[in-house]
Amino acid sequence: MRFSSFIYLVGQGLHSMKANRLMTFASMGVLTVCMILVGTAFLFGVNIDAVVQYMGSQNESYVSVSDDATEEQINALGDQIGAVNGVSSVVFISREEALQQYDTMLSSYTDLYAALAEDNPLPQMFCVSVNDVAQMQRIVDEISTFEFVDGVDAAIDTANTFLSLQRIVNYICIGLVGVLALVSIVVISNTIRITVFARRKEIAIMKLVGATNGFIRFPFFVEGTTSGLLAAAISSGIVCGAYYALYRWYLEHPTNLTQMFGGTLVPLQQVWYFVVIGFVAFGFVLCGIGTATSIRKHLNV
């Protein structure tokens, strides 16, 4: 295609958008709403993943060590636990250190250290952190088989609850994206179909004088993709702006609940390019599909 022809066809597509501005605005509005919902679902899913990862890093397991183990055997056991695939850190806690920790936690209620210093019932233990909570059950089962391990206390039920929530959110996000994509294709298809129907005689004449299908289709493709890209730009500004405002508010109004789940949202600078690129691809591809499906039957003259 010559450059002059390309400019002419682009101009025809933009002219068609202006001539059918009511339908163009309607389709852009629906696309913008769909993209905003998709972006919201994506950001929600990203933050749920971050919460699960944070809870995994804070979800510590405690490995009770047999009283019969010597210092050398305890050190060897610590090295053995640290070598388990998926373990991120191993810290030994003696009986005295464990009692001091509980005494500090309960200092407002009782002097636990003074009461139990002579008869400390707490076991010596290792505090074990894992990289991925999904691997916790496997890691606990493996550690439980080691010599001098009396037991492993791990919040596996809590970890499984968060993993289930993560899977549910991911499924919902995928389903929402699929439904909204279908809605967007239908909207764009109907918009282009109306435009094509209004110009069906012009298309027929162009076919009769030898215009190729690509020459006829290109202005409609420009119209559809331009609508999609404009909707992507508007949606990116709304979603990123709203998320940044929410992020700032979240930082400035900390609560016990926010501290429990990591203390902050995922920063905008870590996710904005996914949102923008996703919206551009969403608008360009779906509008292209809508155009292709709408004009095909009118080219058979």
Side-chain angles (χ1 to χ4, degrees):
M1 179 185 297
R2 291 181 300 177
F3 182 73
S4 58
S5 298
F6 175 80
I7 295 299
Y8 169 77
L9 294 176
V10 170
Q12 288 296 307
L14 297 178
H15 174 75
S16 180
M17 288 181 63
K18 182 179 179 181
N20 299 278
R21 52 185 173 273
L22 183 60
M23 289 301 301
T24 299
F25 288 149
S27 63
M28 286 177 54
V30 174
L31 275 174
T32 300
V33 172
C34 290
M35 290 183 186
I36 290 174
L37 293 176
V38 170
T40 302
F42 168 75
L43 293 173
F44 182 67
V46 166
N47 281 278
I48 287 294
D49 287 340
V51 168
V52 172
Q53 293 176 5
Y54 174 80
M55 293 301 293
S57 65
Q58 302 299 311
N59 201 349
E60 299 171 334
S61 303
Y62 293 92
V63 181
S64 300
V65 181
S66 173
D67 294 336
D68 300 332
T70 64
E71 182 177 354
E72 291 77 10
Q73 290 168 334
I74 291 174
N75 292 334
L77 177 60
D79 294 338
Q80 190 178 11
I81 294 173
V84 173
N85 184 30
V87 172
S88 59
S89 67
V90 181
V91 178
F92 179 72
I93 303 175
S94 65
R95 285 191 177 87
E96 292 72 19
E97 291 172 336
L99 183 58
Q100 288 175 354
Q101 290 179 7
Y102 280 109
D103 179 65
T104 301
M105 294 170 56
L106 302 175
S107 59
S108 301
Y109 305 98
T110 183
D111 189 352
L112 188 64
Y113 190 84
L116 300 176
E118 298 299 329
D119 186 20
N120 188 348
L122 299 176
Q124 53 190 354
M125 66 186 76
F126 286 102
C127 178
V128 180
S129 297
V130 301
N131 293 320
D132 184 3
V133 292
Q135 302 296 321
M136 183 174 292
Q137 183 66 64
R138 176 189 60 79
I139 293 171
V140 168
D141 293 340
E142 185 173 349
I143 293 176
S144 299
T145 63
F146 294 165
E147 189 177 6
F148 303 115
V149 172
D150 283 347
V152 181
D153 182 16
I156 295 176
D157 291 340
T158 301
N160 290 336
T161 298
F162 277 101
L163 289 172
S164 297
L165 177 61
Q166 182 185 33
R167 284 193 293 269
I168 291 172
V169 170
N170 288 337
Y171 291 150
I172 291 175
C173 291
I174 292 173
L176 182 61
V177 169
V179 171
L180 294 177
L182 181 60
V183 170
S184 301
I185 292 175
V186 171
V187 170
I188 290 297
S189 297
N190 288 336
T191 303
I192 301 297
R193 187 176 291 112
I194 292 174
T195 304
V196 171
F197 184 78
R199 299 173 60 187
R200 63 190 184 280
K201 292 183 179 179
E202 177 184 347
I203 293 174
I205 293 173
M206 293 175 67
K207 286 287 293 183
L208 292 174
V209 298
T212 64
N213 289 343
F215 188 89
I216 298 172
R217 183 183 285 114
F218 194 77
F220 297 102
F221 179 79
V222 170
E223 180 180 352
T225 54
T226 301
S227 299
L229 294 177
L230 289 174
I234 296 171
S235 302
S236 297
I238 293 174
V239 171
C240 291
Y243 185 76
Y244 180 75
L246 177 62
Y247 177 77
R248 295 298 306 172
W249 179 88
Y250 201 78
L251 285 180
E252 295 169 1
H253 298 82
T255 64
N256 291 334
L257 184 61
T258 59
Q259 294 299 322
M260 182 184 302
F261 291 106
T264 183
L265 298 172
V266 175
L268 178 63
Q269 57 265 29
Q270 295 184 12
V271 295
W272 71 266
Y273 44 89
F274 291 111
V275 174
V276 174
I277 293 174
F279 283 170
V280 170
F282 191 87
F284 187 84
V285 174
L286 292 185
C287 290
I289 294 174
T291 301
T293 57
S294 299
I295 197 174
R296 184 184 299 115
K297 71 176 183 178
H298 293 279
L299 297 176
N300 298 322
V301 178

